[in-house]
C-alpha cells in the first residue's frame, strides 16, 4: 500500500540532516521511502529500496527518524516534506494507520491477479485481489494488494574522470570540491532567489541564491564538462560550465539578461487563390526561450494539428470555398503566448474572375467652368478598380510570400471629351478591371520632434529602431524614414544628444499601401536633477498639478544604488524623475508607446494609465549611470477614481524594442496615518530600476469599443472625396464625478491611419453609464489639422454623420462649442457602448470591441464622425485620374501626370500679381515634344493668390505645373507645354531674366505673343529659386508637393515657409486691373453656388475662343496608349 503524509521538518543549521518527528499509530516494516519537498515541489529519487537508492540514509525507530537531504541548502529553516511509504503486506493481512472493524457480509475473495508493475512508481510490482459486499454494512476494504517480485535496480556503467558516480548514475560527484558564486540580474543588481539546477534531462534543484545573490554548491566536479543552469523570474535562463580546476573551491560570477517576451516578427500574409490551389501561411515569433508550440486558427477555431501537420507554417492544399476566412497563429512557451495578426484567404471558383470586371463608381470634381447639366453638378463618374488582392499566375513551390503580388487594377480605359464653357475637356474613363501585378510602393514616415511644452525642436537627435540607429532629426527637428519592407509594427525611439528631453519611444502607424504619413512627436522635457545621498532613505514625488495632491511617490532605501559593474555605490546621486501626469491633458500627446501589453493568452490588450515616469540616476562626481535595487512606489488610492482599478493596478516597464509594456510588479493596499486623525490608503509596489528607465502605473481595461471616423477633402462630405493617410487620434478621458463635461484626466492615447473606408479608433467605453468615458478626437494630414463638423449654434445630424436620438446620447461637441475663439480642429463625445436592444445604436458610430471587422467594413451610409480639410483656393484636374493618397491607383498611360510610380517630381512656378485683389491663376499642361502626347492635355491646376501682409496691392501665388521628363515607358522625354493664365484683365510685366535665358538656350522656344499669359516648354533641369522654379522629387506625391510649395512660399531652394513672401524668388510678374463689382471669383462661385452652373468665368473672350479652336484639332493621329484587357489564366 502507498501512503503519502506531510510532516514538519526542522533543518539542523550547518548540517545536511533534517530531523523529522513521525508519529505512527503502529510500527510498520518500511520497504521504500520517498521524500518530496513541498516548497520546491521536486520529488527526489525513484522507487528503489532505501538502502540502495542513495537518496537518504534513514535511521528508523517507532517515533522518529533522521533524513539525510542533500538537495536542500543550509539554513533553510522550518519546512514541510511529503513522505511516501510502501508498506509490506503480509500475505494479504491488511495493516492500516487507523484500525478497522472486523469483516462481515463479504463474499469470497477473487483469485489473485498476476504480478504487474505499479504505474505510479518504477521498478515496483504488485499483486491484488478484490471482493464484493452482500450488504451496505460491510467493514474493511474491497481490494488489497501485496508486493511481488519486481525487477532489480539497474546497474550503472558511467565512468567518472573526476570524482565518483552519483546515485542517479547521471553524473559525477566530488565531495572535496565546492562551487562558490554570485548571480547578478539585468542591470547588475544582486539576484536573490535565483534557482540553480543540474542540466539533466530532469533538472534537479541544487540551491537558491541568498539575499545578496550568493550561492555555494558542494560536490560539483570541476572537470570542465559539468553544466548547470540558473533560473530567475523575468530573466532568461542561463547555462554555464564549471571550469576545469584542481582547486578545492571554484568561484564564479554570473550575470543574467532580462527575459525576452514573445514578439511577432512576421505575420501571415493575405492571399487569394482559386479552388484546388494551395496556400501557405507563415508565422515567425522571437523570444527567449523560443516558442515551443505553434497553433493555427481559422475564424477563431483551432485547426487540428494531426490533420494539417503544421508548425510555424500552415499549408492548405486543394482549397475549397469553405476555407475562406481569417487565419492566425498563436505561439507559446513556458512564459506565455502571443497571437499574430490575422490574414485573409479569398477563394474563388475555378472559372470565376478573381476581380470584378465592372469598375466601382468614382466621382471626380471637374473644373469650375465644366458644370454638367446631365448630372446637375460639377462631378463626373470616371470609375475605379479596387486595389484588393487577386489570383495571378502562381509559381511552382509553396512560399510564405508570393514572389509576385497581384492586385485588382485597370485593364481597359476609354477616352471621352466633355463639354465645358468654350472648350472640350478630355477625360479617361475606366471601363474594365482585371488582375494585374501590384504597383510597387514604399511607405514613408516623416514628421517633427518637438518639446511638448514649448515646441522647441529636438535638434540632431538620434532615432533608433530595434536598437540600431536609423536616422536623425534635423535642425528644426524634422525627420524622414522609409519603412523597411515586411515591417509589421514601426517602433522608433527618439534620443536627445543634449539630454534636454526624455528618451521617447513611439509606435507610429503608417500606410501599408505606400505613401507618406506625417507625425508630430511630442517630447517630455527632463526635470532638473536633485542631489540625494545613497546612504539615506529618499522620497521622490510623482505629480505636480497645482492644487492637487501627488499621485504617487518613490521611496528609495539606503544603500540601494549600484554601479554598472554591480558594486554598491556610496556617495551622492543626481536624481531626475520626470512624471507624465494624466491629470494634465496637455501631456497626452507625449505619452510613450501605444499603451498595449500581451496577455497570457497572447492577445494584444490596452492599458489605462495613471501616470508614467522616467528615472535617471547618476554619480554626482563621475557622471556614471547608476541602477537602483528594490524601491517602493506608493500610489495614493484616492487618485484612483474607478474602484475596481484598485485591485488590478500594476507596475509596468516599457520594452523599447517592441513598444509593448511588460509587467514589473503588483500592488498591495496599506494604510498610513497622516496627522492625528487622517488615515489614507496607499497601494504599495516594489520594483528595481535597471536597464529600463520608463515605468507606468496602469490597469488592464476590458471595457473597449471602436469609434468610426472619416476624413474628407471638403465639407461636401462626398464618398469619393475621402482622404487616406490621415492620422486620427483619440484621447480617452475620465470625467470628474458629477461633471461629465469637465474631464479630470486622460487615460489613453491612440492613433490610426485612415484607409479607403475611414478609420476605427480604439476607445474605452461603458454600456451602463454613457458618460463614464469621454474622448477627444482630432485629425492631422501632413502637419495640417483638419476641421471637425460644427456643433453650434445647432446640431446638424446629417452633417455630423450620426442620426438622432443617438447623437444626443453621445453629447457631440466641437472644441469651439462654447467659445468661438478656440480652434475647430477636434470634437468630444461620450463613448457609450451600444446597447444590444437598441436598434438605433447598432449601426455605428460606436462599435463593440469584438466587432472590429464590422466597423472597418461599414458602408458609407452607416453612422460615422467626420473631418474635412479647410478647402484652400486650389483645384487639381488630371486627365488620367490618380489618387495621391493611394499610390497603387497609378495607371500606365502616356497622359499620366506622374509618369513614374515611387518617383514623384513636383514642380511649381512663383507668380507675382500687382492687383488690389486676390486672383485665380491657372496652369494648363499639355504634351509638348513627345509624339504620343503633343497637344494633348495632362491636366489643369487652379490656385488662388495670397495677399502680401505688408503690401495691400500685391499678392503672389505658387502654381503647380507638370514637370518635363520621361513618360511612363521611359523611352524619351517630353518637354511639357505649360501656359500660366491669370484670371481677369492682366498683363505680363516681366519674366525672370535667368529663366528667360535658360528657355532661350534650351530650344525649342515656345511662342509668347499673348501678353495676358505666359507659355513655356517646362525646363528639364531642377532650376531653383533664382529662376522662380521649385522642383522636388520624393517617393510620396504629397510630400514632394508640400516641400516644393514650402520652398516656393519662402522664395528659397532649401528653406520652407507657410507665409507667402511675395518679392522673393519670383518667376513671373503680372499687373491686373480692377475687377468689376458684379463679378465673382471662380472660387466664390464654387462656394456660393455649389451644384449650380457657374455664373460667369473670369477669363472669357480670347481664352474661350482659343480653347474652342483647340478643341477642333483632330485627335485621330494619336496612337492608342492603353494595353488591351487580357484575361490572366491561373495555374493551379
Amino acid at each position: 500500500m502507498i501512503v503519502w503524509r506531510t510532516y514538519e521538518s526542522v533543518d539542523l543549521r550547518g548540517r545536511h540532516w533534517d530531523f523529522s518527528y513521525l508519529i505512527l499509530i503502529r510500527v510498520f516494516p518500511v520497504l521504500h521511502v520517498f521524500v518530496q519537498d513541498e516548497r520546491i515541489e521536486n520529488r527526489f529519487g525513484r522507487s528503489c529500496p532505501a538502502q540502495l537508492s542513495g537518496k537518504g540514509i534513514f535511521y528508523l525507530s517507532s517515533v522518529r527518524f533522521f533524513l539525510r537531504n542533500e538537495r536542500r541548502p543550509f539554513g533553510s529553516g522550518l519546512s514541510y516534506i511529503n513522505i511516501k511509504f510502501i508498506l509490506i503486506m503480509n500475505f494479504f493481512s491488511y495493516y492500516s494507520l487507523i484500525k478497522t472493524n472486523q469483516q462481515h457480509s463479504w463474499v469470497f475473495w477473487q483469485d489473485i491477479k498476476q504480478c504487474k508493475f505499479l504505474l505510479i512508481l518504477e521498478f515496483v510490482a504488485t499483486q491484488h485481489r478484490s471482493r464484493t459486499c452482500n450488504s451496505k454494512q460491510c467493514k474493511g476494504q474491497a481490494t488489497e494488494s501485496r508486493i511481488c517480485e519486481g525487477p532489480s535496480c539497474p546497474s550503472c556503467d558511467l565512468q567518472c574522470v573526476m570524482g565518483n558516480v552519483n546515485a542517479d548514475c547521471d553524473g559525477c560527484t566530488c565531495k572535496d570540491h565546492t562551487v562558490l558564486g554570485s548571480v547578478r540580474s539585468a542591470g547588475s543588481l544582486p539576484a536573490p532567489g535565483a534557482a540553480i539546477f543540474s542540466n539533466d534531462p530532469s533538472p534537479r534543484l541544487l540551491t537558491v541564491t541568498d539575499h545578496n545573490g550568493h550561492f555555494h554548491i558542494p560536490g560539483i566536479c570541476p572537470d570542465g564538462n559539468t553544466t548547470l543552469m540558473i533560473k530567475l523570474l523575468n530573466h532568461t535562463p542561463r547555462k554555464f560550465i564549471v571550469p576545469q580546476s584542481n582547486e578545492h573551491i571554484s568561484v564564479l560570477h554570473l550575470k543574467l539578461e532580462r527575459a525576452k517576451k514573445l514578439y511577432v516578427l512576421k505575420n501571415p500574409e493575405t492571399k487569394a487563390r482559386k479552388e484546388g490551389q494551395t496556400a501557405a501561411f507563415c508565422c515567425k515569433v522571437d523570444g527567449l526561450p523560443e516558442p515551443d508550440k505553434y497553433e493555427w486558427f481559422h475564424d477563431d477555431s483551432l485547426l487540428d494539428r494531426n490533420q494539417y501537420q503544421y508548425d510555424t507554417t500552415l499549408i492548405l492544399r486543394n482549397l475549397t470555398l469553405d476555407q475562406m476566412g481569417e487565419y492566425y497563429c498563436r505561439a507559446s512557451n513556458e512564459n506565455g503566448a502571443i497571437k499574430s495578426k490575422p490574414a485573409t484567404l479569398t477563394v474563388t471558383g475555378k472559372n470565376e474572375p478573381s476581380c470584378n470586371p465592372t469598375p466601382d463608381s468614382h466621382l471626380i470634381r471637374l473644373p469650375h467652368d465644366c458644370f454638367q447639366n446631365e448630372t446637375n453638378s460639377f462631378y463626373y463618374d470616371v470609375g475605379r478598380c479596387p486595389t484588393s488582392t487577386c489570383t495571378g499566375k502562381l509559381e511552382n513551390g509553396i512560399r510564405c510570400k508570393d514572389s509576385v503580388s497581384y492586385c485588382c487594377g485597370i485593364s481597359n480605359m476609354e477616352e471621352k471629351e466633355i463639354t465645358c464653357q468654350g472648350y472640350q475637356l478630355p477625360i479617361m474613363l475606366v471601363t474594365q478591371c482585371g488582375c494585374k501585378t501590384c504597383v510597387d510602393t514604399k511607405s514613408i514616415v516623416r514628421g517633427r520632434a518637438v518639446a511638448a511644452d514649448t515646441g522647441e525642436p529636438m535638434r540632431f537627435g538620434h532615432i533608433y529602431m530595434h536598437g540600431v540607429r536609423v536616422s536623425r532629426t534635423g535642425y528644426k527637428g524634422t525627420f524622414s524614414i522609409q519603412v523597411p519592407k515586411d515591417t509589421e509594427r514601426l517602433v522608433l525611439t527618439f534620443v536627445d544628444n543634449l539630454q534636454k528631453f526624455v528618451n521617447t519611444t513611439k509606435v507610429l502607424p503608417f500606410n501599408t499601401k505606400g505613401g507618406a504619413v506625417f507625425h508630430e512627436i511630442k517630447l517630455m522635457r527632463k526635470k532638473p536633477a536633485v542631489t540625494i545621498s545613497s546612504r539615506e532613505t529618499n522620497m521622490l514625488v510623482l505629480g505636480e498639478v497645482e492644487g492637487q495632491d501627488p499621485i504617487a511617490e518613490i521611496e528609495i532605501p539606503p544603500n540601494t544604488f549600484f554601479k554598472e559593474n554591480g558594486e554598491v555605490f556610496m556617495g551622492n546621486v543626481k536624481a531626475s524623475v520626470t512624471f507624465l501626469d494624466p491629470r494634465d491633458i496637455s501631456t497626452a500627446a507625449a505619452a510613450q508607446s501605444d499603451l498595449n501589453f500581451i496577455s497570457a493568452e497572447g492577445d494584444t490588450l490596452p492599458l489605462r494609465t495613471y501616470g508614467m515616469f522616467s528615472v535617471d540616476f547618476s554619480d554626482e562626481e563621475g557622471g556614471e549611470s547608476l541602477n537602483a535595487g528594490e524601491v517602493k512606489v506608493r500610489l495614493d488610492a484616492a487618485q484612483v477614481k474607478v474602484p475596481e482599478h484598485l485591485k488590478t493596478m500594476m507596475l509596468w516597464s516599457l520594452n523599447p524594442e517592441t513598444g509593448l509594456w511588460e509587467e514589473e510588479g503588483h500592488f498591495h493596499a496599506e494604510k498610513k496615518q497622516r496627522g492625528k486623525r487622517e488615515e489614507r490608503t496607499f497601494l504599495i509596489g516594489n520594483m528595481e530600476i535597471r536597464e529600463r528607465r520608463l515605468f507606468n502605473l496602469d490597469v488592464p481595461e476590458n471595457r473597449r469599443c471602436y469609434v468610426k471616423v472619416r476624413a474628407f477633402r471638403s465639407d461636401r462630405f462626398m464618398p469619393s472625396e475621402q482622404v487616406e493617410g490621415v492620422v486620427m487620434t483619440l484621447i480617452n478621458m475620465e470625467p470628474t464625478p458629477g461633471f461629465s463635461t469637465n474631464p479630470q484626466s486622460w487615460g489613453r492615447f491612440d492613433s490610426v491611419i485612415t484607409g479607403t473606408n475611414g478609420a476605427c479608433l480604439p476607445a474605452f467605453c461603458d454600456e451602463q453609464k454613457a458618460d463614464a468615458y469621454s474622448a477627444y478626437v482630432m485629425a492631422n494630414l501632413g502637419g495640417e489639422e483638419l476641421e471637425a463638423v460644427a456643433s453650434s449654434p445647432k446640431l446638424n445630424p446629417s452633417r455630423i454623420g450620426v442620426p438622432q436620438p443617438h447623437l444626443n446620447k453621445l453629447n457631440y461637441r466641437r472644441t469651439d462649442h462654447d467659445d468661438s475663439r478656440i480652434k475647430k480642429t477636434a470634437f468630444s463625445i461620450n463613448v457609450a457602448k451600444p446597447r444590444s436592444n437598441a436598434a438605433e445604436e447598432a449601426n455605428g458610430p460606436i462599435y463593440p470591441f469584438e466587432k472590429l471587422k464590422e466597423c472597418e467594413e461599414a458602408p458609407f451610409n452607416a453612422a460615422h464622425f467626420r473631418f474635412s480639410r479647410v478647402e484652400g483656393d486650389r483645384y487639381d484636374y488630371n486627365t488620367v485620374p490618380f489618387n495621391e493618397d493611394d499610390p497603387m491607383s497609378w495607371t500606365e498611360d502616356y497622359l499620366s501626370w506622374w509618369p513614374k510610380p515611387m518617383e514623384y517630381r513636383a514642380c511649381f512656378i512663383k507668380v507675382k500679381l500687382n492687383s488690389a485683389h486676390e486672383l485665380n491663376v491657372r496652369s494648363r499642361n499639355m504634351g509638348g515634344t513627345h509624339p504620343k502626347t503633343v497637344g494633348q492635355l495632362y491636366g489643369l491646376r487652379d490656385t488662388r493668390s495670397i495677399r502680401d501682409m505688408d503690401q495691400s496691392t500685391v499678392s503672389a501665388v505658387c502654381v503647380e505645373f507638370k514637370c518635363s521628363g520621361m513618360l511612363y515607358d521611359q523611352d524619351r522625354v517630353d518637354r511639357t507645354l505649360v501656359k500660366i493664365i491669370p484670371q481677369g484683365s492682366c498683363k505680363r510685366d516681366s519674366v525672370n531674366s535667368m529663366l528667360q535665358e535658360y528657355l532661350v538656350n534650351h530650344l525649342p522656344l515656345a511662342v509668347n505673343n499673348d501678353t495676358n499669359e505666359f507659355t513655356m516648354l517646362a525646363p528639364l533641369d531642377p532650376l531653383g529659386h533664382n529662376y522662380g522654379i521649385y522642383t522636388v522629387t520624393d517617393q510620396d506625391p504629397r510630400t514632394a508637393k508640400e516641400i516644393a510649395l514650402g520652398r516656393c512660399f519662402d522664395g528659397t531652394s532649401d528653406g520652407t515657409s507657410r507665409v507667402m513672401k511675395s518679392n522673393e524668388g519670383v518667376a513671373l510678374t503680372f499687373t491686373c486691373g480692377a475687377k468689376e463689382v458684379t463679378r465673382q471669383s471662380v472660387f466664390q462661385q464654387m462656394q456660393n453656388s455649389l451644384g449650380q452652373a457657374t455664373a460667369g468665368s473670369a477669363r472669357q473672350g480670347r481664352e474661350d475662343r482659343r480653347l474652342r479652336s483647340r478643341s477642333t484639332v483632330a485627335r485621330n493621329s494619336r496612337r492608342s496608349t492603353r494595353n488591351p484587357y487580357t484575361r490572366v489564366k491561373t495555374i493551379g
Side-chain angles (χ1 to χ4, degrees):
M1 185 177 113
I2 299 175
V3 180
W4 276 105
R5 294 293 298 273
T6 300
Y7 300 98
E8 208 171 71
S9 172
V10 181
D11 180 56
L12 302 182
R13 300 285 180 180
R15 301 183 183 178
H16 284 297
W17 299 91
D18 287 339
F19 175 73
S20 297
Y21 188 68
L22 177 63
I23 300 176
L24 296 177
I25 296 177
R26 59 171 53 176
V27 179
F28 301 98
V30 178
L31 176 65
H32 296 253
V33 179
F34 302 86
V35 180
Q36 179 180 6
D37 189 316
E38 285 194 328
R39 183 181 67 85
I40 303 175
E41 296 183 355
N42 187 36
R43 185 174 299 177
F44 299 152
R46 49 187 180 168
S47 178
C48 284
Q51 64 269 24
L52 299 178
S53 68
K55 295 303 175 187
I57 302 173
F58 304 88
Y59 297 92
L60 298 175
S61 68
S62 61
V63 293
R64 61 180 62 86
F65 64 89
F66 286 99
L67 167 64
R68 178 176 174 82
N69 185 356
E70 296 182 351
R71 303 289 162 77
R72 292 181 53 77
F74 292 149
S76 296
L78 182 67
S79 67
Y80 293 88
I81 59 174
N82 282 340
I83 298 180
K84 181 183 289 185
F85 294 95
I86 298 179
L87 305 181
I88 298 177
M89 305 302 161
N90 185 14
F91 297 103
F92 301 108
S93 60
Y94 181 71
Y95 295 92
S96 73
L97 296 178
I98 301 176
K99 187 174 181 180
T100 61
N101 295 329
Q102 298 296 322
Q103 309 170 19
H104 61 85
S105 300
W106 290 103
V107 299
F108 293 106
W109 286 103
Q110 296 178 355
D111 293 338
I112 301 173
K113 303 298 182 181
Q114 64 182 12
C115 188
K116 293 184 178 180
F117 287 108
L118 189 65
L119 297 179
I120 300 177
L121 300 168
E122 301 177 56
F123 312 116
V124 175
T126 63
Q127 288 176 303
H128 68 276
R129 67 177 181 177
S130 61
R131 58 182 175 175
T132 57
C133 182
N134 291 329
S135 69
K136 296 182 180 180
Q137 303 299 320
C138 294
K139 303 295 183 181
Q141 300 294 323
T143 61
E144 59 181 25
S145 60
R146 69 181 180 186
I147 302 296
C148 55
E149 184 178 353
S152 60
C153 286
S155 59
C156 182
D157 298 327
L158 180 65
Q159 301 293 323
C160 290
V161 178
M162 183 182 294
N164 300 317
V165 178
N166 63 17
D168 287 334
C169 191
D170 58 4
C172 301
T173 302
C174 297
K175 296 183 179 179
D176 58 348
H177 182 265
T178 300
V179 176
L180 302 179
S182 66
V183 180
R184 299 279 173 178
S185 64
S188 299
L189 300 177
I196 303 177
F197 296 86
S198 62
N199 189 38
D200 300 328
S202 299
R204 301 187 306 273
L205 179 68
L206 302 179
T207 189
V208 177
T209 57
D210 62 17
H211 67 283
N212 288 319
H214 297 158
F215 68 89
H216 76 280
I217 310 174
I220 302 297
C221 291
D223 55 5
N225 294 318
T226 302
T227 303
L228 305 179
M229 180 171 57
I230 308 176
K231 288 187 176 182
L232 180 64
L233 183 65
N234 295 327
H235 287 72
T236 302
R238 177 180 173 181
K239 296 180 180 180
F240 65 95
I241 297 175
V242 179
Q244 189 172 2
S245 173
N246 295 323
E247 303 295 331
H248 293 291
I249 295 177
S250 296
V251 180
L252 302 176
H253 299 286
L254 305 167
K255 183 180 178 181
L256 303 179
E257 298 296 331
R258 183 184 289 269
K260 192 173 183 180
K261 298 283 187 178
L262 293 180
Y263 182 65
V264 178
L265 295 178
K266 180 62 179 174
N267 289 297
E269 294 192 353
T270 293
K271 296 189 176 182
R273 293 291 188 268
K274 295 278 189 179
E275 278 187 289
Q277 292 184 333
T278 298
F281 295 105
C282 299
C283 179
K284 185 177 181 182
V285 176
D286 189 25
L288 286 176
E290 294 183 352
D292 52 23
K293 183 179 181 182
Y294 281 85
E295 296 171 304
W296 283 91
F297 296 80
H298 175 213
D299 291 337
D300 292 327
S301 296
L302 178 64
L303 297 177
D304 186 357
R305 182 186 301 274
N306 295 327
Q307 177 182 352
Y308 292 96
Q309 297 294 315
Y310 57 71
D311 47 14
T312 60
T313 302
L314 172 67
I315 300 176
L316 304 175
R317 306 178 189 274
N318 298 317
L319 287 169
T320 59
L321 295 178
D322 59 359
Q323 289 181 291
M324 288 193 298
E326 291 187 340
Y327 291 82
Y328 66 88
C329 81
R330 181 173 66 188
S332 58
N333 62 12
E334 61 187 39
N335 294 327
I338 192 169
K339 293 178 182 177
S340 71
K341 292 181 180 179
T344 301
L345 174 64
T346 302
V347 182
T348 55
K350 293 182 179 180
N351 299 320
E352 296 179 9
S354 57
C355 293
N356 184 358
T358 303
D360 295 339
S361 175
H362 180 62
L363 299 177
I364 64 168
R365 186 155 59 96
L366 300 175
H368 64 86
D369 48 4
C370 276
F371 181 81
Q372 299 298 296
N373 294 321
E374 296 176 0
T375 60
N376 196 34
S377 72
F378 284 99
Y379 290 87
Y380 201 88
D381 189 353
V382 297
R384 177 174 60 182
C385 297
T387 55
S388 56
T389 304
C390 62
T391 304
K393 183 179 179 181
L394 299 181
E395 295 184 352
N396 295 328
I398 300 173
R399 302 175 184 272
C400 297
K401 180 180 177 64
D402 294 339
S403 57
V404 179
S405 298
Y406 292 92
C407 299
C408 295
I410 299 173
S411 61
N412 198 13
M413 300 178 73
E414 71 176 20
E415 185 177 342
K416 184 176 181 179
E417 291 187 347
I418 58 178
T419 302
C420 300
Q421 291 185 13
Y423 66 97
Q424 297 294 113
L425 182 68
I427 190 168
M428 304 299 297
L429 306 180
V430 179
T431 58
Q432 195 172 40
C433 301
C435 193
K436 304 173 70 68
T437 303
C438 297
V439 176
D440 187 22
T441 62
K442 295 180 181 178
S443 299
I444 301 168
V445 167
R446 61 188 188 90
R448 184 170 55 247
V450 297
D453 53 358
T454 64
E456 176 188 354
M458 183 179 77
R459 296 188 171 100
F460 310 117
H462 292 169
I463 304 175
Y464 291 84
M465 181 167 58
H466 302 308
V468 178
R469 193 177 75 182
V470 294
S471 184
R472 65 187 304 172
T473 60
Y475 180 77
K476 296 184 178 180
T478 56
F479 64 91
S480 180
I481 295 174
Q482 181 176 316
V483 181
K485 280 188 175 295
D486 300 329
T487 297
E488 305 289 348
R489 180 178 165 91
L490 182 63
V491 183
L492 301 178
T493 299
F494 296 79
V495 178
D496 180 22
N497 293 330
L498 302 179
Q499 296 297 304
K500 291 182 180 180
F501 307 110
V502 173
N503 292 352
T504 300
T505 298
K506 289 284 189 179
V507 180
L508 301 181
F510 60 95
N511 193 344
T512 56
K513 295 167 61 176
V517 174
F518 182 91
H519 292 279
E520 189 161 73
I521 309 300
K522 299 289 189 178
L523 308 172
M524 288 293 292
R525 195 179 298 275
K526 277 189 176 181
K527 290 291 184 183
V530 297
T531 301
I532 60 177
S533 173
S534 64
R535 299 179 177 85
E536 301 174 356
T537 298
N538 295 280
M539 304 295 292
L540 302 175
V541 174
L542 302 179
E544 299 177 353
V545 175
E546 186 176 353
Q548 298 191 47
D549 291 331
I551 287 181
E553 58 188 15
I554 302 176
E555 179 183 329
I556 306 175
N559 305 320
T560 302
F561 292 101
F562 292 84
K563 297 181 180 180
E564 294 289 346
N565 61 6
E567 296 180 8
V568 178
F569 175 78
M570 305 298 290
N572 289 335
V573 177
K574 292 181 66 176
S576 173
V577 179
T578 304
F579 185 66
L580 189 147
D581 196 327
R583 296 174 297 182
D584 180 0
I585 190 174
S586 66
T587 64
Q592 302 248 9
S593 183
D594 57 359
L595 284 174
N596 286 328
F597 76 104
I598 304 298
S599 70
E601 295 298 319
D603 296 299
T604 301
L605 300 178
L607 294 169
R608 190 266 189 232
T609 186
Y610 280 87
M612 304 178 185
F613 58 96
S614 172
V615 296
D616 187 12
F617 299 133
S618 60
D619 179 0
E620 183 184 38
E621 296 181 359
E624 178 185 357
S625 181
L626 301 174
N627 299 323
E630 192 168 280
V631 301
K632 287 186 177 181
V633 177
R634 300 179 184 272
L635 174 63
D636 187 355
Q639 299 294 336
V640 182
K641 303 301 181 183
V642 183
E644 54 264 36
H645 286 176
L646 293 171
K647 299 178 180 179
T648 56
M649 185 72 65
M650 288 193 291
L651 273 166
W652 307 76
S653 66
L654 179 64
N655 184 333
E657 293 191 11
T658 65
L660 294 169
W661 293 90
E662 298 177 3
E663 182 184 336
E664 284 285 335
H666 291 262
F667 284 91
H668 66 274
E670 184 178 290
K671 294 187 181 297
K672 184 177 180 181
Q673 196 75 27
R674 281 198 171 186
K676 294 182 178 180
R677 297 184 178 180
E678 183 183 11
E679 184 180 62
R680 303 184 68 173
T681 300
F682 286 85
L683 299 179
I684 311 299
N686 296 320
M687 58 180 287
E688 293 180 345
I689 299 173
R690 304 189 293 258
E691 80 285 5
R692 293 186 185 173
R693 299 302 175 99
L694 185 68
F695 302 94
N696 207 346
L697 309 171
D698 276 19
V699 292
E701 181 60 87
N702 57 8
R703 293 178 292 183
R704 297 167 288 157
C705 291
Y706 286 98
V707 181
K708 183 73 173 187
V709 189
R710 301 177 188 267
F712 298 85
R713 296 190 183 279
S714 71
D715 60 4
R716 290 180 291 271
F717 304 122
M718 298 189 61
S720 61
E721 292 190 342
Q722 292 189 77
V723 182
E724 298 182 52
V726 176
V727 181
M728 294 287 185
T729 300
L730 183 144
I731 303 175
N732 253 116
M733 305 299 298
E734 181 184 275
T736 301
F739 299 94
S740 60
T741 59
N742 182 23
Q744 152 187 311
S745 60
W746 63 271
R748 185 170 173 81
F749 182 95
D750 278 287
S751 295
V752 178
I753 302 296
T754 58
T756 55
N757 200 34
C760 294
L761 286 159
F764 297 145
C765 60
D766 192 89
E767 185 175 3
Q768 304 301 323
K769 190 177 180 183
D771 62 351
Y773 285 107
S774 60
Y776 279 101
V777 183
M778 57 204 76
N780 186 291
L781 177 64
E784 170 195 349
E785 294 178 310
L786 274 61
E787 190 172 289
V789 181
S791 59
S792 62
K794 183 179 179 180
L795 285 175
N796 187 337
S798 62
R799 290 189 61 79
I800 295 172
V802 181
Q804 294 286 26
H806 197 192
L807 184 60
N808 283 338
K809 180 179 179 180
L810 300 179
N811 194 33
Y812 177 90
R813 293 289 184 271
R814 195 167 71 174
T815 42
D816 67 338
H817 183 82
D818 298 314
D819 187 348
S820 60
R821 295 171 298 177
I822 298 177
K823 280 185 173 183
K824 307 173 183 179
T825 54
F827 65 83
S828 66
I829 57 170
N830 292 333
V831 192
K833 184 176 181 180
R835 297 168 296 175
S836 57
N837 59 349
E840 70 274 9
E841 300 177 12
N843 199 29
I846 312 296
Y847 293 83
F849 188 77
E850 61 273 12
K851 294 188 176 181
L852 172 60
K853 190 172 183 179
E854 183 177 324
C855 176
E856 292 176 335
E857 298 176 355
F860 186 80
N861 59 5
H864 58 271
F865 295 107
R866 296 169 173 175
F867 283 93
S868 63
R869 300 189 68 176
V870 179
E871 188 173 30
D873 294 331
R874 292 178 54 186
Y875 168 74
D876 298 352
Y877 172 79
N878 297 325
T879 299
V880 179
F882 174 68
N883 181 4
E884 293 177 359
D885 301 327
D886 181 11
M888 296 184 70
S889 66
W890 179 83
T891 305
E892 293 182 350
D893 196 286
Y894 284 104
L895 291 179
S896 293
W897 184 275
W898 309 96
K900 187 176 180 182
M902 303 317 300
E903 187 176 304
Y904 300 97
R905 192 179 182 198
C907 294
F908 284 81
I909 184 169
K910 192 168 186 177
V911 181
K912 179 181 176 181
L913 302 172
N914 296 313
S915 172
H917 305 279
E918 294 178 340
L919 302 175
N920 181 53
V921 178
R922 167 175 288 183
S923 75
R924 183 176 179 85
N925 304 268
M926 296 178 292
T929 59
H930 197 289
K932 292 187 178 182
T933 62
V934 62
Q936 300 179 55
L937 184 69
Y938 287 114
L940 304 175
R941 297 293 186 265
D942 290 339
T943 311
R944 184 74 172 272
S945 66
I946 300 174
R947 193 187 308 278
D948 189 278
M949 298 179 65
D950 300 321
Q951 305 174 73
S952 60
T953 60
V954 174
S955 64
V957 61
C958 293
V959 184
E960 184 185 8
F961 64 90
K962 186 186 180 303
C963 306
S964 295
M966 290 283 189
L967 300 187
Y968 91 93
D969 61 1
Q970 301 295 300
D971 182 44
R972 60 182 295 177
V973 300
D974 181 35
R975 293 281 300 279
T976 308
L977 182 65
V978 180
K979 286 187 177 293
I980 305 298
I981 310 166
Q983 169 193 358
S985 301
C986 297
K987 181 180 179 181
R988 186 177 69 244
D989 287 342
S990 63
V991 178
N992 183 295
S993 59
M994 295 184 66
L995 174 62
Q996 184 65 37
E997 182 180 355
Y998 176 90
L999 296 175
V1000 170
N1001 293 331
H1002 293 77
L1003 301 176
L1005 182 65
V1007 178
N1008 260 304
N1009 294 330
D1010 193 342
T1011 59
N1012 291 334
E1013 60 187 34
F1014 174 75
T1015 305
M1016 69 174 179
L1017 288 169
L1020 284 168
D1021 302 309
L1023 299 182
H1025 69 286
N1026 290 328
Y1027 301 80
I1029 304 293
Y1030 302 86
T1031 306
V1032 172
T1033 302
D1034 196 87
Q1035 297 171 341
D1036 175 68
R1038 282 203 315 252
T1039 302
K1041 292 171 70 170
E1042 183 176 333
I1043 295 174
L1045 198 59
R1047 293 177 181 176
C1048 184
F1049 271 50
D1050 194 51
T1052 62
S1053 296
D1054 54 1
T1056 187
S1057 175
R1058 293 181 181 270
V1059 177
M1060 177 65 75
K1061 300 178 180 179
S1062 302
N1063 298 311
E1064 304 292 336
V1066 174
L1068 305 172
T1069 302
F1070 287 86
T1071 297
C1072 302
K1075 296 190 298 181
E1076 296 178 13
V1077 177
T1078 58
R1079 199 128 338 181
Q1080 294 179 318
S1081 75
V1082 291
F1083 289 97
Q1084 288 173 330
Q1085 293 174 14
M1086 291 170 58
Q1087 293 168 357
N1088 297 335
S1089 58
L1090 179 64
Q1092 301 177 4
T1094 305
S1097 172
R1099 284 291 298 167
Q1100 298 180 2
R1102 184 188 307 108
E1103 180 182 357
D1104 291 348
R1105 288 192 297 272
R1106 183 169 55 255
L1107 292 172
R1108 280 196 298 270
S1109 65
R1110 284 202 190 96
S1111 67
T1112 61
V1113 176
R1115 302 176 59 88
N1116 54 10
S1117 62
R1118 177 183 172 196
R1119 290 173 13 193
S1120 174
T1121 61
R1122 258 66 63 194
N1123 295 325
Y1125 171 63
T1126 304
R1127 180 175 296 276
V1128 179
K1129 295 182 180 180
T1130 304
I1131 299 176

